[in-house]
Amino acid sequence: MDTEAVRSFVRAAELGQLQHAANELGVTQQAVSKRIAALERELEVRLFTRTARGVELTLDGRAFLPHARDIVTGVERAITAVRPGSRALRIDVLGLRSAQAVILHDYWRSHPEINLDVVTLRVNDPRVAVAAVEAGEIDATFRTVTDPTMLPRDVRTIHAFDSPLELLVGPRHPLASSHTDATSAAQASDLGTGYRAPHRMG
């Protein structure tokens, strides 16, 4: 279905005259007429009847109008989603159920006026995420950065939050019944693994 034909139909329906629709769309009246005629042939119904004052919707036209508006709106949103300078703020997270995604969702609920798009690159390598930031594919990313020197000079990191690490052990493990901080216990038993050792998210 030709989306420009649908757009022409919507504007003609709202304005009541093909010429007014043509003026707004920046095309000729003949172009609008041809688009609507082609749309009617595709749908196999008449959308308008001509009157002395312009055009009026038929019953089929009135039934089609709200869906046609949805199509036009959907196309405009799709274009905005990818057009540089107009798309939503695009932020990459490790997973859509991750702590980062929850934080962003809570932020959006508190600031619904912010056009926010949470995405996931589905890669673990922070270098891939950095490359996506540099290319403009995303605007920011939540990643664990253990070596800031690996980042390009023009990429800025901001400490977001500390996320605890958890050590899961079996029932026979020496730490299974421990109620103390597992980091100290691990060091004492030469296990070398921390239970709630925080790591920095950048």
Side-chain angles (χ1 to χ4, degrees), residues 158-180:
I158 301 174
H159 173 236
F161 59 87
D162 291 324
S163 179
L165 295 178
E166 297 184 355
L167 174 65
L168 304 179
V169 299
R172 298 179 182 274
H173 193 278
L175 295 179
S177 60
S178 174
H179 297 289
T180 61

Side-chain angles (χ1 to χ4, degrees), residues 77-145:
R77 288 178 177 172
I79 293 172
T80 300
V82 297
R83 177 177 291 164
S86 65
R87 65 169 173 77
L89 182 65
R90 188 178 294 168
I91 301 180
D92 163 57
V93 296
L94 292 174
L96 296 180
R97 295 185 178 181
S98 64
Q100 306 99 327
V102 172
I103 290 174
L104 290 173
H105 179 70
D106 290 343
Y107 176 81
W108 177 80
R109 290 183 62 183
S110 300
H111 303 82
E113 73 281 2
I114 301 297
N115 197 7
L116 186 63
D117 189 9
V118 179
V119 301
T120 175
L121 296 178
R122 302 186 185 278
V123 292
N124 294 323
D125 190 344
R127 291 170 296 184
V128 176
V130 169
V133 172
E134 288 189 298
E137 297 173 2
I138 57 176
D139 300 299
T141 180
F142 280 90
R143 296 285 163 170
T144 300
V145 178

